[in-house]
PDB file of all heavy atoms in Angstrom:
ATOM      1  N   ALA A   1     -83.340  -0.681 -16.289  1.00 92.00           N
ATOM      2  CA  ALA A   1     -82.182   0.026 -15.741  1.00 92.00           C
ATOM      3  C   ALA A   1     -80.963  -0.873 -15.678  1.00 92.00           C
ATOM      4  O   ALA A   1     -81.006  -1.981 -15.129  1.00 92.00           O
ATOM      5  CB  ALA A   1     -82.512   0.556 -14.352  1.00 92.00           C
ATOM      6  N   LYS A   2     -79.861  -0.390 -16.254  1.00 91.00           N
ATOM      7  CA  LYS A   2     -78.606  -1.149 -16.245  1.00 91.00           C
ATOM      8  C   LYS A   2     -77.653  -0.675 -15.137  1.00 91.00           C
ATOM      9  O   LYS A   2     -76.815  -1.421 -14.670  1.00 91.00           O
ATOM     10  CB  LYS A   2     -77.901  -1.009 -17.602  1.00 91.00           C
ATOM     11  CG  LYS A   2     -78.734  -1.494 -18.782  1.00 91.00           C
ATOM     12  CD  LYS A   2     -78.995  -2.994 -18.701  1.00 91.00           C
ATOM     13  CE  LYS A   2     -79.678  -3.502 -19.960  1.00 91.00           C
ATOM     14  NZ  LYS A   2     -81.099  -3.111 -20.028  1.00 91.00           N
ATOM     15  N   GLY A   3     -77.809   0.603 -14.734  1.00 92.00           N
ATOM     16  CA  GLY A   3     -76.961   1.154 -13.677  1.00 92.00           C
ATOM     17  C   GLY A   3     -77.770   1.519 -12.451  1.00 92.00           C
ATOM     18  O   GLY A   3     -78.764   0.864 -12.123  1.00 92.00           O
ATOM     19  N   ARG A   4     -77.362   2.561 -11.784  1.00 95.00           N
ATOM     20  CA  ARG A   4     -78.100   2.994 -10.595  1.00 95.00           C
ATOM     21  C   ARG A   4     -79.459   3.561 -10.997  1.00 95.00           C
ATOM     22  O   ARG A   4     -79.606   4.178 -12.066  1.00 95.00           O
ATOM     23  CB  ARG A   4     -77.313   4.082  -9.847  1.00 95.00           C
ATOM     24  CG  ARG A   4     -75.982   3.624  -9.309  1.00 95.00           C
ATOM     25  CD  ARG A   4     -75.266   4.750  -8.574  1.00 95.00           C
ATOM     26  NE  ARG A   4     -75.078   5.948  -9.390  1.00 95.00           N
ATOM     27  CZ  ARG A   4     -74.423   7.026  -8.983  1.00 95.00           C
ATOM     28  NH1 ARG A   4     -73.891   7.069  -7.772  1.00 95.00           N
ATOM     29  NH2 ARG A   4     -74.289   8.072  -9.779  1.00 95.00           N
ATOM     30  N   VAL A   5     -80.437   3.358 -10.151  1.00 96.00           N
ATOM     31  CA  VAL A   5     -81.737   4.009 -10.319  1.00 96.00           C
ATOM     32  C   VAL A   5     -81.834   5.123  -9.277  1.00 96.00           C
ATOM     33  O   VAL A   5     -81.631   4.884  -8.084  1.00 96.00           O
ATOM     34  CB  VAL A   5     -82.906   3.023 -10.147  1.00 96.00           C
ATOM     35  CG1 VAL A   5     -84.237   3.778 -10.195  1.00 96.00           C
ATOM     36  CG2 VAL A   5     -82.869   1.959 -11.228  1.00 96.00           C
ATOM     37  N   ILE A   6     -82.109   6.331  -9.751  1.00 95.00           N
ATOM     38  CA  ILE A   6     -82.299   7.474  -8.850  1.00 95.00           C
ATOM     39  C   ILE A   6     -83.722   7.970  -9.052  1.00 95.00           C
ATOM     40  O   ILE A   6     -84.089   8.380 -10.161  1.00 95.00           O
ATOM     41  CB  ILE A   6     -81.281   8.599  -9.154  1.00 95.00           C
ATOM     42  CG1 ILE A   6     -79.845   8.070  -9.006  1.00 95.00           C
ATOM     43  CG2 ILE A   6     -81.513   9.787  -8.216  1.00 95.00           C
ATOM     44  CD1 ILE A   6     -78.779   9.063  -9.439  1.00 95.00           C
ATOM     45  N   VAL A   7     -84.531   7.891  -8.000  1.00 95.00           N
ATOM     46  CA  VAL A   7     -85.933   8.299  -8.087  1.00 95.00           C
ATOM     47  C   VAL A   7     -86.142   9.558  -7.258  1.00 95.00           C
ATOM     48  O   VAL A   7     -85.865   9.571  -6.049  1.00 95.00           O
ATOM     49  CB  VAL A   7     -86.882   7.185  -7.594  1.00 95.00           C
ATOM     50  CG1 VAL A   7     -88.341   7.633  -7.743  1.00 95.00           C
ATOM     51  CG2 VAL A   7     -86.651   5.898  -8.376  1.00 95.00           C
ATOM     52  N   ALA A   8     -86.616  10.606  -7.908  1.00 94.00           N
ATOM     53  CA  ALA A   8     -86.938  11.857  -7.207  1.00 94.00           C
ATOM     54  C   ALA A   8     -88.445  11.941  -7.026  1.00 94.00           C
ATOM     55  O   ALA A   8     -89.207  11.806  -7.997  1.00 94.00           O
ATOM     56  CB  ALA A   8     -86.433  13.058  -8.001  1.00 94.00           C
ATOM     57  N   THR A   9     -88.876  12.142  -5.792  1.00 94.00           N
ATOM     58  CA  THR A   9     -90.297  12.261  -5.510  1.00 94.00           C
ATOM     59  C   THR A   9     -90.481  13.118  -4.265  1.00 94.00           C
ATOM     60  O   THR A   9     -89.509  13.534  -3.621  1.00 94.00           O
ATOM     61  CB  THR A   9     -90.950  10.876  -5.331  1.00 94.00           C
ATOM     62  OG1 THR A   9     -92.373  11.024  -5.302  1.00 94.00           O
ATOM     63  CG2 THR A   9     -90.475  10.189  -4.059  1.00 94.00           C
ATOM     64  N   PHE A  10     -91.727  13.393  -3.913  1.00 92.00           N
ATOM     65  CA  PHE A  10     -92.014  14.163  -2.702  1.00 92.00           C
ATOM     66  C   PHE A  10     -91.711  13.303  -1.477  1.00 92.00           C
ATOM     67  O   PHE A  10     -92.167  12.162  -1.394  1.00 92.00           O
ATOM     68  CB  PHE A  10     -93.469  14.617  -2.676  1.00 92.00           C
ATOM     69  CG  PHE A  10     -93.824  15.594  -3.753  1.00 92.00           C
ATOM     70  CD1 PHE A  10     -94.673  15.233  -4.792  1.00 92.00           C
ATOM     71  CD2 PHE A  10     -93.306  16.880  -3.747  1.00 92.00           C
ATOM     72  CE1 PHE A  10     -95.007  16.133  -5.784  1.00 92.00           C
ATOM     73  CE2 PHE A  10     -93.629  17.788  -4.739  1.00 92.00           C
ATOM     74  CZ  PHE A  10     -94.474  17.414  -5.761  1.00 92.00           C
ATOM     75  N   SER A  11     -91.000  13.859  -0.527  1.00 93.00           N
ATOM     76  CA  SER A  11     -90.606  13.084   0.654  1.00 93.00           C
ATOM     77  C   SER A  11     -91.812  12.644   1.481  1.00 93.00           C
ATOM     78  O   SER A  11     -91.771  11.607   2.149  1.00 93.00           O
ATOM     79  CB  SER A  11     -89.652  13.903   1.526  1.00 93.00           C
ATOM     80  OG  SER A  11     -90.238  15.136   1.895  1.00 93.00           O
ATOM     81  N   SER A  12     -92.896  13.400   1.421  1.00 93.00           N
ATOM     82  CA  SER A  12     -94.081  13.063   2.221  1.00 93.00           C
ATOM     83  C   SER A  12     -94.915  11.955   1.603  1.00 93.00           C
ATOM     84  O   SER A  12     -95.793  11.397   2.264  1.00 93.00           O
ATOM     85  CB  SER A  12     -94.955  14.310   2.407  1.00 93.00           C
ATOM     86  OG  SER A  12     -95.386  14.795   1.144  1.00 93.00           O
ATOM     87  N   ASN A  13     -94.654  11.616   0.319  1.00 95.00           N
ATOM     88  CA  ASN A  13     -95.466  10.601  -0.355  1.00 95.00           C
ATOM     89  C   ASN A  13     -94.942   9.212   0.012  1.00 95.00           C
ATOM     90  O   ASN A  13     -94.277   8.535  -0.783  1.00 95.00           O
ATOM     91  CB  ASN A  13     -95.453  10.813  -1.865  1.00 95.00           C
ATOM     92  CG  ASN A  13     -96.569  10.056  -2.568  1.00 95.00           C
ATOM     93  OD1 ASN A  13     -97.103   9.094  -2.025  1.00 95.00           O
ATOM     94  ND2 ASN A  13     -96.913  10.484  -3.759  1.00 95.00           N
ATOM     95  N   VAL A  14     -95.259   8.784   1.212  1.00 95.00           N
ATOM     96  CA  VAL A  14     -94.757   7.523   1.750  1.00 95.00           C
ATOM     97  C   VAL A  14     -95.177   6.338   0.879  1.00 95.00           C
ATOM     98  O   VAL A  14     -94.422   5.373   0.698  1.00 95.00           O
ATOM     99  CB  VAL A  14     -95.243   7.339   3.205  1.00 95.00           C
ATOM    100  CG1 VAL A  14     -94.868   5.972   3.743  1.00 95.00           C
ATOM    101  CG2 VAL A  14     -94.657   8.428   4.093  1.00 95.00           C
ATOM    102  N   HIS A  15     -96.373   6.403   0.322  1.00 96.00           N
ATOM    103  CA  HIS A  15     -96.846   5.301  -0.521  1.00 96.00           C
ATOM    104  C   HIS A  15     -96.013   5.186  -1.796  1.00 96.00           C
ATOM    105  O   HIS A  15     -95.723   4.066  -2.248  1.00 96.00           O
ATOM    106  CB  HIS A  15     -98.320   5.513  -0.869  1.00 96.00           C
ATOM    107  CG  HIS A  15     -99.208   5.546   0.325  1.00 96.00           C
ATOM    108  ND1 HIS A  15    -100.367   6.302   0.389  1.00 96.00           N
ATOM    109  CD2 HIS A  15     -99.109   4.920   1.530  1.00 96.00           C
ATOM    110  CE1 HIS A  15    -100.942   6.136   1.570  1.00 96.00           C
ATOM    111  NE2 HIS A  15    -100.201   5.306   2.275  1.00 96.00           N
ATOM    112  N   ARG A  16     -95.605   6.311  -2.364  1.00 95.00           N
ATOM    113  CA  ARG A  16     -94.740   6.276  -3.545  1.00 95.00           C
ATOM    114  C   ARG A  16     -93.367   5.709  -3.174  1.00 95.00           C
ATOM    115  O   ARG A  16     -92.792   4.898  -3.901  1.00 95.00           O
ATOM    116  CB  ARG A  16     -94.603   7.694  -4.120  1.00 95.00           C
ATOM    117  CG  ARG A  16     -93.834   7.794  -5.427  1.00 95.00           C
ATOM    118  CD  ARG A  16     -94.620   7.251  -6.621  1.00 95.00           C
ATOM    119  NE  ARG A  16     -95.976   7.744  -6.668  1.00 95.00           N
ATOM    120  CZ  ARG A  16     -96.339   8.958  -7.134  1.00 95.00           C
ATOM    121  NH1 ARG A  16     -95.419   9.773  -7.608  1.00 95.00           N
ATOM    122  NH2 ARG A  16     -97.608   9.321  -7.161  1.00 95.00           N
ATOM    123  N   VAL A  17     -92.857   6.154  -2.038  1.00 96.00           N
ATOM    124  CA  VAL A  17     -91.568   5.644  -1.558  1.00 96.00           C
ATOM    125  C   VAL A  17     -91.652   4.135  -1.341  1.00 96.00           C
ATOM    126  O   VAL A  17     -90.731   3.383  -1.702  1.00 96.00           O
ATOM    127  CB  VAL A  17     -91.143   6.365  -0.257  1.00 96.00           C
ATOM    128  CG1 VAL A  17     -89.907   5.709   0.352  1.00 96.00           C
ATOM    129  CG2 VAL A  17     -90.874   7.845  -0.532  1.00 96.00           C
ATOM    130  N   GLN A  18     -92.770   3.674  -0.778  1.00 96.00           N
ATOM    131  CA  GLN A  18     -92.958   2.232  -0.563  1.00 96.00           C
ATOM    132  C   GLN A  18     -92.890   1.469  -1.879  1.00 96.00           C
ATOM    133  O   GLN A  18     -92.269   0.394  -1.966  1.00 96.00           O
ATOM    134  CB  GLN A  18     -94.313   1.984   0.108  1.00 96.00           C
ATOM    135  CG  GLN A  18     -94.622   0.515   0.368  1.00 96.00           C
ATOM    136  CD  GLN A  18     -93.755  -0.082   1.467  1.00 96.00           C
ATOM    137  OE1 GLN A  18     -93.906   0.256   2.632  1.00 96.00           O
ATOM    138  NE2 GLN A  18     -92.847  -0.982   1.103  1.00 96.00           N
ATOM    139  N   GLN A  19     -93.486   2.023  -2.914  1.00 96.00           N
ATOM    140  CA  GLN A  19     -93.508   1.331  -4.202  1.00 96.00           C
ATOM    141  C   GLN A  19     -92.133   1.324  -4.866  1.00 96.00           C
ATOM    142  O   GLN A  19     -91.766   0.358  -5.540  1.00 96.00           O
ATOM    143  CB  GLN A  19     -94.552   1.959  -5.116  1.00 96.00           C
ATOM    144  CG  GLN A  19     -95.954   1.829  -4.532  1.00 96.00           C
ATOM    145  CD  GLN A  19     -97.047   2.035  -5.539  1.00 96.00           C
ATOM    146  OE1 GLN A  19     -97.686   1.094  -5.979  1.00 96.00           O
ATOM    147  NE2 GLN A  19     -97.272   3.277  -5.921  1.00 96.00           N
ATOM    148  N   VAL A  20     -91.363   2.392  -4.668  1.00 96.00           N
ATOM    149  CA  VAL A  20     -89.984   2.405  -5.169  1.00 96.00           C
ATOM    150  C   VAL A  20     -89.170   1.322  -4.447  1.00 96.00           C
ATOM    151  O   VAL A  20     -88.381   0.594  -5.072  1.00 96.00           O
ATOM    152  CB  VAL A  20     -89.337   3.795  -4.982  1.00 96.00           C
ATOM    153  CG1 VAL A  20     -87.862   3.753  -5.386  1.00 96.00           C
ATOM    154  CG2 VAL A  20     -90.073   4.853  -5.795  1.00 96.00           C
ATOM    155  N   ILE A  21     -89.385   1.204  -3.145  1.00 97.00           N
ATOM    156  CA  ILE A  21     -88.693   0.160  -2.371  1.00 97.00           C
ATOM    157  C   ILE A  21     -89.112  -1.230  -2.854  1.00 97.00           C
ATOM    158  O   ILE A  21     -88.272  -2.126  -3.045  1.00 97.00           O
ATOM    159  CB  ILE A  21     -88.975   0.338  -0.868  1.00 97.00           C
ATOM    160  CG1 ILE A  21     -88.303   1.613  -0.355  1.00 97.00           C
ATOM    161  CG2 ILE A  21     -88.497  -0.875  -0.069  1.00 97.00           C
ATOM    162  CD1 ILE A  21     -88.679   1.999   1.065  1.00 97.00           C
ATOM    163  N   ASN A  22     -90.415  -1.416  -3.101  1.00 96.00           N
ATOM    164  CA  ASN A  22     -90.907  -2.708  -3.587  1.00 96.00           C
ATOM    165  C   ASN A  22     -90.262  -3.080  -4.922  1.00 96.00           C
ATOM    166  O   ASN A  22     -89.857  -4.233  -5.136  1.00 96.00           O
ATOM    167  CB  ASN A  22     -92.427  -2.683  -3.739  1.00 96.00           C
ATOM    168  CG  ASN A  22     -93.152  -2.548  -2.406  1.00 96.00           C
ATOM    169  OD1 ASN A  22     -92.551  -2.740  -1.344  1.00 96.00           O
ATOM    170  ND2 ASN A  22     -94.423  -2.217  -2.449  1.00 96.00           N
ATOM    171  N   SER A  23     -90.170  -2.100  -5.840  1.00 96.00           N
ATOM    172  CA  SER A  23     -89.549  -2.351  -7.145  1.00 96.00           C
ATOM    173  C   SER A  23     -88.072  -2.677  -6.987  1.00 96.00           C
ATOM    174  O   SER A  23     -87.526  -3.529  -7.702  1.00 96.00           O
ATOM    175  CB  SER A  23     -89.729  -1.134  -8.058  1.00 96.00           C
ATOM    176  OG  SER A  23     -91.096  -0.869  -8.302  1.00 96.00           O
ATOM    177  N   SER A  24     -87.429  -1.991  -6.042  1.00 96.00           N
ATOM    178  CA  SER A  24     -86.006  -2.246  -5.791  1.00 96.00           C
ATOM    179  C   SER A  24     -85.791  -3.669  -5.278  1.00 96.00           C
ATOM    180  O   SER A  24     -84.859  -4.366  -5.709  1.00 96.00           O
ATOM    181  CB  SER A  24     -85.465  -1.234  -4.770  1.00 96.00           C
ATOM    182  OG  SER A  24     -85.597   0.090  -5.252  1.00 96.00           O
ATOM    183  N   ILE A  25     -86.655  -4.109  -4.380  1.00 96.00           N
ATOM    184  CA  ILE A  25     -86.544  -5.463  -3.828  1.00 96.00           C
ATOM    185  C   ILE A  25     -86.722  -6.503  -4.937  1.00 96.00           C
ATOM    186  O   ILE A  25     -86.013  -7.516  -4.984  1.00 96.00           O
ATOM    187  CB  ILE A  25     -87.582  -5.665  -2.706  1.00 96.00           C
ATOM    188  CG1 ILE A  25     -87.244  -4.767  -1.503  1.00 96.00           C
ATOM    189  CG2 ILE A  25     -87.649  -7.122  -2.273  1.00 96.00           C
ATOM    190  CD1 ILE A  25     -88.360  -4.663  -0.481  1.00 96.00           C
ATOM    191  N   THR A  26     -87.663  -6.224  -5.846  1.00 95.00           N
ATOM    192  CA  THR A  26     -87.908  -7.150  -6.950  1.00 95.00           C
ATOM    193  C   THR A  26     -86.643  -7.419  -7.759  1.00 95.00           C
ATOM    194  O   THR A  26     -86.405  -8.547  -8.221  1.00 95.00           O
ATOM    195  CB  THR A  26     -89.007  -6.580  -7.881  1.00 95.00           C
ATOM    196  OG1 THR A  26     -90.216  -6.412  -7.136  1.00 95.00           O
ATOM    197  CG2 THR A  26     -89.266  -7.498  -9.068  1.00 95.00           C
ATOM    198  N   TYR A  27     -85.804  -6.387  -7.913  1.00 95.00           N
ATOM    199  CA  TYR A  27     -84.592  -6.528  -8.720  1.00 95.00           C
ATOM    200  C   TYR A  27     -83.321  -6.559  -7.865  1.00 95.00           C
ATOM    201  O   TYR A  27     -82.231  -6.296  -8.361  1.00 95.00           O
ATOM    202  CB  TYR A  27     -84.534  -5.403  -9.757  1.00 95.00           C
ATOM    203  CG  TYR A  27     -85.608  -5.574 -10.807  1.00 95.00           C
ATOM    204  CD1 TYR A  27     -86.795  -4.856 -10.728  1.00 95.00           C
ATOM    205  CD2 TYR A  27     -85.454  -6.494 -11.848  1.00 95.00           C
ATOM    206  CE1 TYR A  27     -87.806  -5.032 -11.666  1.00 95.00           C
ATOM    207  CE2 TYR A  27     -86.461  -6.679 -12.781  1.00 95.00           C
ATOM    208  CZ  TYR A  27     -87.635  -5.950 -12.690  1.00 95.00           C
ATOM    209  OH  TYR A  27     -88.631  -6.145 -13.625  1.00 95.00           O
ATOM    210  N   GLY A  28     -83.481  -6.893  -6.602  1.00 95.00           N
ATOM    211  CA  GLY A  28     -82.328  -7.124  -5.732  1.00 95.00           C
ATOM    212  C   GLY A  28     -81.480  -5.888  -5.464  1.00 95.00           C
ATOM    213  O   GLY A  28     -80.263  -5.991  -5.284  1.00 95.00           O
ATOM    214  N   ARG A  29     -82.111  -4.738  -5.392  1.00 96.00           N
ATOM    215  CA  ARG A  29     -81.377  -3.489  -5.177  1.00 96.00           C
ATOM    216  C   ARG A  29     -81.452  -3.053  -3.716  1.00 96.00           C
ATOM    217  O   ARG A  29     -82.491  -3.196  -3.057  1.00 96.00           O
ATOM    218  CB  ARG A  29     -81.936  -2.367  -6.057  1.00 96.00           C
ATOM    219  CG  ARG A  29     -81.663  -2.545  -7.540  1.00 96.00           C
ATOM    220  CD  ARG A  29     -82.354  -1.448  -8.350  1.00 96.00           C
ATOM    221  NE  ARG A  29     -82.044  -1.567  -9.775  1.00 96.00           N
ATOM    222  CZ  ARG A  29     -81.047  -0.947 -10.385  1.00 96.00           C
ATOM    223  NH1 ARG A  29     -80.264  -0.138  -9.680  1.00 96.00           N
ATOM    224  NH2 ARG A  29     -80.828  -1.108 -11.678  1.00 96.00           N
ATOM    225  N   LYS A  30     -80.345  -2.500  -3.219  1.00 96.00           N
ATOM    226  CA  LYS A  30     -80.330  -1.827  -1.930  1.00 96.00           C
ATOM    227  C   LYS A  30     -80.856  -0.407  -2.125  1.00 96.00           C
ATOM    228  O   LYS A  30     -80.769   0.165  -3.220  1.00 96.00           O
ATOM    229  CB  LYS A  30     -78.917  -1.779  -1.354  1.00 96.00           C
ATOM    230  CG  LYS A  30     -78.272  -3.142  -1.137  1.00 96.00           C
ATOM    231  CD  LYS A  30     -78.984  -3.947  -0.058  1.00 96.00           C
ATOM    232  CE  LYS A  30     -78.244  -5.248   0.225  1.00 96.00           C
ATOM    233  NZ  LYS A  30     -78.947  -6.062   1.253  1.00 96.00           N
ATOM    234  N   VAL A  31     -81.393   0.173  -1.052  1.00 97.00           N
ATOM    235  CA  VAL A  31     -82.021   1.498  -1.147  1.00 97.00           C
ATOM    236  C   VAL A  31     -81.350   2.474  -0.186  1.00 97.00           C
ATOM    237  O   VAL A  31     -81.151   2.160   0.994  1.00 97.00           O
ATOM    238  CB  VAL A  31     -83.532   1.423  -0.822  1.00 97.00           C
ATOM    239  CG1 VAL A  31     -84.156   2.812  -0.853  1.00 97.00           C
ATOM    240  CG2 VAL A  31     -84.238   0.502  -1.808  1.00 97.00           C
ATOM    241  N   ALA A  32     -81.015   3.659  -0.707  1.00 96.00           N
ATOM    242  CA  ALA A  32     -80.468   4.738   0.128  1.00 96.00           C
ATOM    243  C   ALA A  32     -81.331   5.980  -0.051  1.00 96.00           C
ATOM    244  O   ALA A  32     -81.869   6.217  -1.140  1.00 96.00           O
ATOM    245  CB  ALA A  32     -79.022   5.033  -0.260  1.00 96.00           C
ATOM    246  N   PHE A  33     -81.469   6.765   1.008  1.00 96.00           N
ATOM    247  CA  PHE A  33     -82.245   8.002   0.952  1.00 96.00           C
ATOM    248  C   PHE A  33     -81.309   9.199   0.880  1.00 96.00           C
ATOM    249  O   PHE A  33     -80.275   9.250   1.561  1.00 96.00           O
ATOM    250  CB  PHE A  33     -83.141   8.129   2.183  1.00 96.00           C
ATOM    251  CG  PHE A  33     -84.175   7.048   2.299  1.00 96.00           C
ATOM    252  CD1 PHE A  33     -84.076   6.065   3.280  1.00 96.00           C
ATOM    253  CD2 PHE A  33     -85.242   6.999   1.427  1.00 96.00           C
ATOM    254  CE1 PHE A  33     -85.013   5.065   3.394  1.00 96.00           C
ATOM    255  CE2 PHE A  33     -86.200   5.996   1.525  1.00 96.00           C
ATOM    256  CZ  PHE A  33     -86.084   5.031   2.508  1.00 96.00           C
ATOM    257  N   SER A  34     -81.692  10.194   0.077  1.00 94.00           N
ATOM    258  CA  SER A  34     -80.886  11.411  -0.065  1.00 94.00           C
ATOM    259  C   SER A  34     -81.787  12.636   0.070  1.00 94.00           C
ATOM    260  O   SER A  34     -82.878  12.684  -0.517  1.00 94.00           O
ATOM    261  CB  SER A  34     -80.190  11.423  -1.431  1.00 94.00           C
ATOM    262  OG  SER A  34     -79.516  12.634  -1.634  1.00 94.00           O
ATOM    263  N   GLY A  35     -81.318  13.607   0.823  1.00 91.00           N
ATOM    264  CA  GLY A  35     -82.120  14.813   1.052  1.00 91.00           C
ATOM    265  C   GLY A  35     -82.632  14.822   2.473  1.00 91.00           C
ATOM    266  O   GLY A  35     -83.142  13.808   2.972  1.00 91.00           O
ATOM    267  N   ARG A  36     -82.512  15.952   3.131  1.00 91.00           N
ATOM    268  CA  ARG A  36     -82.827  16.042   4.566  1.00 91.00           C
ATOM    269  C   ARG A  36     -84.265  15.614   4.868  1.00 91.00           C
ATOM    270  O   ARG A  36     -84.509  14.813   5.771  1.00 91.00           O
ATOM    271  CB  ARG A  36     -82.583  17.474   5.040  1.00 91.00           C
ATOM    272  CG  ARG A  36     -82.830  17.707   6.522  1.00 91.00           C
ATOM    273  CD  ARG A  36     -82.327  19.085   6.937  1.00 91.00           C
ATOM    274  NE  ARG A  36     -82.734  19.399   8.286  1.00 91.00           N
ATOM    275  CZ  ARG A  36     -83.850  20.049   8.602  1.00 91.00           C
ATOM    276  NH1 ARG A  36     -84.672  20.441   7.640  1.00 91.00           N
ATOM    277  NH2 ARG A  36     -84.161  20.325   9.853  1.00 91.00           N
ATOM    278  N   SER A  37     -85.234  16.150   4.118  1.00 93.00           N
ATOM    279  CA  SER A  37     -86.632  15.822   4.412  1.00 93.00           C
ATOM    280  C   SER A  37     -86.936  14.368   4.071  1.00 93.00           C
ATOM    281  O   SER A  37     -87.713  13.707   4.770  1.00 93.00           O
ATOM    282  CB  SER A  37     -87.573  16.754   3.647  1.00 93.00           C
ATOM    283  OG  SER A  37     -87.423  16.611   2.251  1.00 93.00           O
ATOM    284  N   MET A  38     -86.310  13.846   3.009  1.00 95.00           N
ATOM    285  CA  MET A  38     -86.527  12.440   2.643  1.00 95.00           C
ATOM    286  C   MET A  38     -86.008  11.522   3.743  1.00 95.00           C
ATOM    287  O   MET A  38     -86.674  10.542   4.129  1.00 95.00           O
ATOM    288  CB  MET A  38     -85.830  12.135   1.316  1.00 95.00           C
ATOM    289  CG  MET A  38     -86.050  10.718   0.815  1.00 95.00           C
ATOM    290  SD  MET A  38     -87.770  10.365   0.366  1.00 95.00           S
ATOM    291  CE  MET A  38     -87.924  11.303  -1.162  1.00 95.00           C
ATOM    292  N   GLU A  39     -84.818  11.819   4.234  1.00 94.00           N
ATOM    293  CA  GLU A  39     -84.238  10.996   5.288  1.00 94.00           C
ATOM    294  C   GLU A  39     -85.087  11.056   6.563  1.00 94.00           C
ATOM    295  O   GLU A  39     -85.341  10.037   7.213  1.00 94.00           O
ATOM    296  CB  GLU A  39     -82.810  11.460   5.580  1.00 94.00           C
ATOM    297  CG  GLU A  39     -81.845  11.203   4.436  1.00 94.00           C
ATOM    298  CD  GLU A  39     -80.498  11.888   4.639  1.00 94.00           C
ATOM    299  OE1 GLU A  39     -80.231  12.324   5.772  1.00 94.00           O
ATOM    300  OE2 GLU A  39     -79.732  11.993   3.671  1.00 94.00           O
ATOM    301  N   LYS A  40     -85.543  12.261   6.900  1.00 94.00           N
ATOM    302  CA  LYS A  40     -86.305  12.430   8.144  1.00 94.00           C
ATOM    303  C   LYS A  40     -87.667  11.750   8.068  1.00 94.00           C
ATOM    304  O   LYS A  40     -88.041  10.978   8.964  1.00 94.00           O
ATOM    305  CB  LYS A  40     -86.484  13.927   8.440  1.00 94.00           C
ATOM    306  CG  LYS A  40     -87.240  14.198   9.737  1.00 94.00           C
ATOM    307  CD  LYS A  40     -87.299  15.679  10.042  1.00 94.00           C
ATOM    308  CE  LYS A  40     -88.268  16.412   9.131  1.00 94.00           C
ATOM    309  NZ  LYS A  40     -88.482  17.818   9.555  1.00 94.00           N
ATOM    310  N   ILE A  41     -88.418  12.010   7.001  1.00 95.00           N
ATOM    311  CA  ILE A  41     -89.780  11.483   6.920  1.00 95.00           C
ATOM    312  C   ILE A  41     -89.779   9.971   6.717  1.00 95.00           C
ATOM    313  O   ILE A  41     -90.612   9.257   7.292  1.00 95.00           O
ATOM    314  CB  ILE A  41     -90.561  12.202   5.799  1.00 95.00           C
ATOM    315  CG1 ILE A  41     -90.778  13.671   6.184  1.00 95.00           C
ATOM    316  CG2 ILE A  41     -91.900  11.522   5.540  1.00 95.00           C
ATOM    317  CD1 ILE A  41     -91.484  14.503   5.135  1.00 95.00           C
TER     318      ILE A  41
END
């Protein structure tokens, strides 16, 4: 990825979200959540 990474997944899949965060940390990326259920869960 050369620009922003946007990952769409189920908001309840916390383990998937964790892995997206882990990959982001590996490449020095900040993480933002979008979508009401994603933000809440």
Side-chain angles (χ1 to χ4, degrees):
K2 301 295 187 286
R4 297 180 304 183
V5 174
I6 301 173
V7 182
T9 191
F10 294 111
S11 57
S12 61
N13 196 339
V14 174
H15 299 149
R16 185 73 47 80
V17 172
Q18 179 70 70
Q19 298 198 105
V20 175
I21 292 171
N22 294 345
S23 298
S24 300
I25 293 167
T26 300
Y27 291 99
R29 291 175 177 267
K30 301 294 185 181
V31 177
F33 297 109
S34 175
R36 182 170 171 268
S37 62
M38 183 66 73
E39 293 170 14
K40 181 176 73 171
I41 293 177

